[in-house]
Amino acid sequence: MLPLIATIITFMKQVIGITTFGLYTPSIITLVFLALGLKFGLLILFIILLSGALLRKVLDYFPLLNTPRVAIILIMSTFIILLTIAFGTYLKFSQIATLAVFPMLIMTTLAEKFGSALGGKGFYSALLLMLEITGISLLCYWVVEWPYMQTLMLGRPEIIFLLLLINILLGRWTGLRVLEYVRFRELMKHTEEE
């Protein structure tokens, strides 16, 4: 399913104009949603982003170099995930014991990326970026979870070559993105009048 996820993300970036942290991040989030389930995956994503933002704010008061700062955020995000699992186990939330810890740890890298976006773009831009990434990940999740799509991809693995062709065509895309038409509609209206 990863080639299908990558193609959906590429289409959303190239044709629609959605902004993401590259191709890797929304793909990983989608795979984590598949591994953990949508509800728990969204909960972990929210916890990681919130803890990453708070940790970054706290670390701003300490004169630290970037790499140790990122390591501290990753360590604390991992610890917060561990506490979440322990708390869920304490509350007898039986499903939490069967969850894969590795996908959650992979998601801790988002804390660092979100923190960097907060520092570079500001709160609202970073939040909008994470909403776009989460939206694309949810779209990919729903397409991949669709039983017909699973049957189609498993029954016809040659579809991967079609996806490869679609990505080649998307790589040659030179037109405006849909969101650029929306963003520049006033300018385009004035250009048409002249």
Side-chain angles (χ1 to χ4, degrees):
M1 290 298 186
L2 191 57
L4 179 60
I5 292 169
T7 302
I8 292 170
I9 295 167
T10 302
F11 176 82
M12 295 300 288
K13 286 178 68 68
Q14 292 298 112
V15 177
I16 304 300
I18 301 293
T19 307
T20 66
F21 291 130
L23 187 67
Y24 177 75
T25 301
S27 299
I28 289 298
I29 294 174
T30 302
L31 294 175
V32 168
F33 288 167
L34 290 169
L36 300 178
L38 189 57
K39 285 185 209 175
F40 197 72
L42 284 169
L43 176 66
I44 290 295
L45 178 64
F46 176 75
I47 290 170
I48 286 172
L49 293 179
L50 182 64
S51 65
L54 292 174
L55 284 168
R56 179 148 180 105
K57 198 70 172 160
V58 169
L59 291 176
D60 283 343
Y61 294 106
F62 300 98
L64 297 171
L65 295 174
N66 188 50
T67 304
R69 178 186 301 258
V70 170
I72 290 169
I73 291 172
L74 292 177
I75 290 167
M76 291 306 295
S77 297
T78 304
F79 183 68
I80 290 169
I81 289 174
L82 178 65
L83 288 177
T84 304
I85 293 170
F87 186 68
T89 305
Y90 175 75
L91 292 177
K92 308 262 191 270
F93 184 61
S94 60
Q95 193 179 15
I96 205 162
T98 62
L99 294 174
V101 175
F102 188 66
M104 288 185 272
L105 295 178
I106 289 175
M107 263 170 95
T108 60
T109 60
L110 293 177
E112 183 261 330
K113 289 185 178 189
F114 184 64
S116 295
L118 279 173
K121 298 181 178 196
F123 177 75
Y124 292 109
S125 295
L127 183 63
L128 180 62
L129 179 62
M130 280 313 301
L131 288 174
E132 288 179 352
I133 292 169
T134 304
I136 288 177
S137 299
L138 287 171
L139 173 67
C140 291
Y141 171 81
W142 288 320
V143 169
V144 170
E145 275 290 297
W146 186 26
Y148 176 76
M149 189 59 68
Q150 291 176 356
T151 304
L152 183 67
M153 290 296 291
L154 290 173
R156 303 260 185 229
E158 63 273 9
I159 290 177
I160 291 175
F161 295 112
L162 176 63
L163 295 174
L164 185 63
L165 177 63
I166 290 170
N167 279 288
I168 290 171
L169 294 173
L170 288 171
R172 299 173 76 60
W173 178 268
T174 57
L176 286 177
R177 294 170 175 93
V178 172
L179 291 178
E180 289 171 342
Y181 282 109
V182 173
R183 187 170 48 182
F184 299 123
R185 68 181 171 269
E186 289 297 320
L187 180 65
M188 293 171 69
K189 188 186 334 179
H190 292 298
T191 306
E192 291 172 2
E193 290 174 0
E194 295 175 2

